Amino acid sequence: MTEMARGMVIIGAGECGGRAALTLRDLGYDGPVTLVGDEPHLPYERPPLSKEAMASDAPEIKAIASDAVLAERSIRHIHSVQAAAIDRAAHSVRLSDGSVLPYDKLLLATGATPRKLSMPGLGARCVYLRTFADALAIRGHLRAGSRIAVIGGGFIGLELAAASRRLGAAVTVIEAQPRILMRGVPAEIAEIVHDAHIAEGVDIVCGQGIASIADDGRQVRVTLAGGREVSADLAIIGIGAVPVTGLAADAGLMIDNGIAVDAELCSSDPDIFAAGDCCSFPLAVYGGRRVRLEAWRNAQEQGALAAKNMLDAGEAHAAVPWFWSDQYGLSLQIAGLSDEGKNTVRRDLDDGAFILFHLAEDGTLVAASGIGPGNAVARDIRLAEMLIGKRAKPAPEALGSQAVKLKSLLAA
Amino acid sequence: MSDWVEACATDDIDEEDVMRFDHGGRTFAIYRSPDDEYFATDGLCTHEKVHLADGLVMDDIIECPKHNGRFNYKTGAARGAPVCVNLKTYPVKVDAGKVLVQVG
């Protein structure tokens, strides 16, 4: 590096931004690396917030890197501060505390924020989960006898429903769609999750919108379209997330369901990259279909890839989407995008676990969705992910037969 | 340091695969490489203590079934996110069709 190096600035100190900073050092970059986050914490893992953190009486963050590691690697972490504006001409970012950070390359890893329920009547007892502070606030209400209304039957809502039940709360899940997990999860698998919640005593109401909400600060009354009223001590709203794009949009960067980046995660400005939940990108494995993923591993992979490409590696994103969820003793894993499939082949595994393989019309394996106790589906989903990445066309009968090892199909 | 214990028979593990072995309140993972060599590491991922024996072995790598933490099972070295702490490894020898691990 020259002495004039302005260095690398990363806006967003979550999984993606944290991984990017560490990767820059792994790759030998020795200029300044500055990580800016609006939370007071070290970069931390978000998946536990709806799972393990709720099981603990005193939740703690699971940091990606300690202060000592950041110091040892000369990564400057500026916390509790927001990025206010990007001056692309001057190659600098102004922060909410008035300071200005010059950059050679900038990475926007600003993530996503919960989609807000747009209706009158919401108050202090209507909450969202995104940050550790949100998790602490929710955890404070979860106890035996408390009444929790979960609005939205997606993963966050259902994981929190499971956690709430574990702690003895009475839980009602309200989903406007005809079934839970409508987005990206096959009905057969959603049904297993649904049944598990019912068996654990969760009340699930599907196919009903919300007519009104009344939150007096002590309790929430949710009135459903059909007239039923659900009273709760807390309403947790989990109806999806929207990418955080304001900073990028104000700077004139192209936005398309997130900060639009190319296969190398570069935005419409060659010195500004974006990665993780905040960006949409062309997914090579599906012919460049533009997607935005809200997934933990994607945040890791794209953080690392952005770091490489900030150092001019010119490497294209080639990963297959992968996602998991844990509820009660069940683990669900999905590789690929199941909506790319036309035909489905089922493989039954031991202990009631099974995998659905989704095939395109021409026989290409495009996705695999599995559910079972513990880690029953993990190995096969991982192998399926590799087959998807190879654009393999495995014989349906081989996919459907437990006697055929998926690993053997990789060699084909 | 001489406490060799029998973990399994050599043919209990498929080539390029892993199995779980519990001993003395501890969990180990025993590996058979594509070259028919045997290795042993601690059995739990250093990220969130998930059983590695449920994971996938590819080449020299064991991948955790939960969050894809990767380790070189011959050296125990962590190979990137989300893990950063290496696995402990243990000496292994094969005797009369049995895989023995020095667990001490």
Side-chain angles (χ1 to χ4, degrees):
Chain A
M1 292 305 307
T2 68
E3 287 180 21
M4 297 301 288
R6 295 158 158 253
M8 305 300 191
V9 172
I10 301 165
I11 304 298
E15 182 80 45
C16 184
R19 291 289 164 203
L22 293 168
T23 304
L24 284 167
R25 293 298 184 225
D26 289 344
L27 296 172
Y29 177 72
D30 63 0
V33 174
T34 307
L35 186 58
V36 180
D38 56 5
E39 292 182 63
H41 312 291
L42 289 163
Y44 61 89
E45 295 186 357
R46 273 183 220 282
L49 299 185
S50 53
K51 309 179 186 80
E52 294 88 339
M54 291 297 158
S56 166
D57 288 337
E60 293 180 0
I61 61 164
K62 186 167 172 60
I64 292 164
S66 64
D67 274 320
V69 166
L70 293 180
E72 174 201 319
R73 312 203 77 185
S74 298
I75 295 168
R76 182 182 174 207
H77 176 214
I78 302 176
H79 60 80
S80 310
V81 171
Q82 289 184 319
I86 302 168
D87 184 335
R88 290 167 56 190
H91 273 61
S92 66
V93 181
R94 181 167 50 79
L95 304 183
S96 55
D97 64 2
S99 59
V100 173
L101 290 174
Y103 65 80
D104 288 315
K105 304 275 187 193
L106 177 67
L107 173 62
L108 300 177
T110 47
T113 189
R115 185 185 301 280
K116 299 294 189 287
L117 186 61
S118 167
M119 62 175 9
L122 276 69
R125 294 276 175 146
C126 298
V127 299
Y128 300 85
L129 173 63
R130 181 67 187 176
T131 65
F132 181 64
D134 297 336
L136 283 182
I138 290 171
R139 179 65 185 83
H141 288 277
L142 304 186
R143 65 182 76 89
S146 61
R147 300 164 305 159
I148 307 298
V150 173
I151 299 174
F155 283 111
I156 292 284
L158 292 169
E159 287 173 3
L160 287 172
S164 303
R165 278 303 297 147
R166 281 232 161 106
L167 293 164
V171 182
T172 305
V173 174
I174 302 159
E175 168 58 60
Q177 298 290 327
R179 67 163 170 90
I180 59 168
L181 300 174
M182 276 293 276
R183 232 171 31 125
V185 179
E188 235 172 309
I189 286 180
E191 194 180 323
I192 304 285
V193 177
H194 184 278
D195 290 350
H197 279 276
I198 298 297
E200 295 286 344
V202 174
D203 180 16
I204 300 183
V205 185
C206 287
Q208 278 206 48
I210 294 170
S212 67
I213 292 183
D215 176 353
D216 64 10
R218 284 173 293 121
Q219 77 159 357
V220 188
R221 274 199 338 273
V222 182
T223 305
L224 306 183
R228 182 179 159 188
E229 196 171 272
V230 177
S231 293
D233 301 306
L234 189 73
I236 305 171
I237 303 166
I239 54 170
V242 290
V244 177
T245 57
L247 186 68
D250 290 348
L253 298 179
M254 194 184 295
I255 308 293
D256 177 5
N257 180 31
I259 303 164
V261 294
D262 63 16
E264 297 174 12
L265 305 180
C266 190
S267 76
S268 50
D269 179 319
D271 291 326
I272 303 179
F273 292 74
D277 292 17
C278 69
C279 77
S280 69
F281 64 100
L283 195 50
V285 72
Y286 304 121
R289 168 182 167 183
R290 181 165 287 276
V291 297
R292 187 176 67 80
L293 299 177
E294 293 161 13
W296 186 55
R297 198 170 83 191
N298 181 63
Q300 292 171 6
E301 287 170 346
Q302 290 200 336
L305 180 62
K308 274 188 193 176
N309 289 339
M310 289 164 85
L311 301 176
D312 298 324
E315 194 175 305
H317 181 274
V320 173
W322 176 84
F323 180 84
W324 101 100
S325 176
D326 292 334
Q327 291 164 50
Y328 310 109
L330 288 172
S331 184
L332 174 160
Q333 293 199 9
I334 296 177
L337 303 178
S338 59
D339 67 356
E340 290 275 332
K342 296 281 181 231
N343 303 306
T344 301
V345 175
R346 176 173 170 138
R347 167 182 286 233
D348 286 299
L349 307 174
D350 298 335
D351 302 326
F354 66 91
I355 293 179
L356 301 177
F357 294 101
H358 310 281
L359 302 163
E361 222 149 1
D362 70 352
T364 305
L365 180 65
V366 290
S369 320
I371 190 163
N375 296 312
V377 301
R379 215 189 273 215
D380 282 349
I381 290 286
R382 184 72 180 97
L383 288 162
E385 182 193 330
M386 288 185 239
L387 289 165
I388 295 164
K390 285 179 68 172
R391 296 174 175 77
K393 294 182 181 178
E397 50 275 23
L399 290 175
S401 166
Q402 201 184 348
V404 179
K405 288 193 169 185
L406 289 184
K407 212 171 185 178
S408 69
L409 303 180
L410 263 182
Chain B
M1 285 301 290
S2 60
D3 41 351
W4 289 92
V5 294
E6 182 182 322
C8 59
T10 50
D11 53 8
D12 285 345
I13 317 177
D14 287 343
E15 189 182 293
E16 200 179 51
D17 211 344
V18 55
M19 70 171 278
R20 176 177 165 180
F21 170 58
D22 293 341
H23 177 79
R26 295 154 70 195
T27 291
F28 302 85
I30 315 293
Y31 310 85
R32 179 173 164 187
S33 78
D35 305 323
D36 266 350
E37 290 182 285
Y38 293 81
F39 299 87
T41 69
D42 273 336
L44 300 176
C45 179
T46 57
H47 176 236
E48 281 194 358
K49 305 208 177 304
V50 172
H51 283 288
L52 291 168
D54 293 331
L56 180 67
V57 176
M58 294 287 279
D59 303 318
D60 292 350
I61 300 294
I62 173 68
E63 190 173 273
C64 174
K66 201 61 174 176
H67 303 136
N68 307 127
R70 305 172 92 221
F71 304 88
N72 181 313
Y73 64 77
K74 296 180 176 177
T75 66
R79 289 295 183 83
V83 289
C84 53
V85 178
N86 296 342
L87 287 173
K88 275 187 198 158
T89 59
Y90 300 88
V92 174
K93 66 182 179 185
V94 172
D95 185 19
K98 304 292 181 190
V99 179
L100 304 171
V101 182
Q102 192 173 37
V103 297

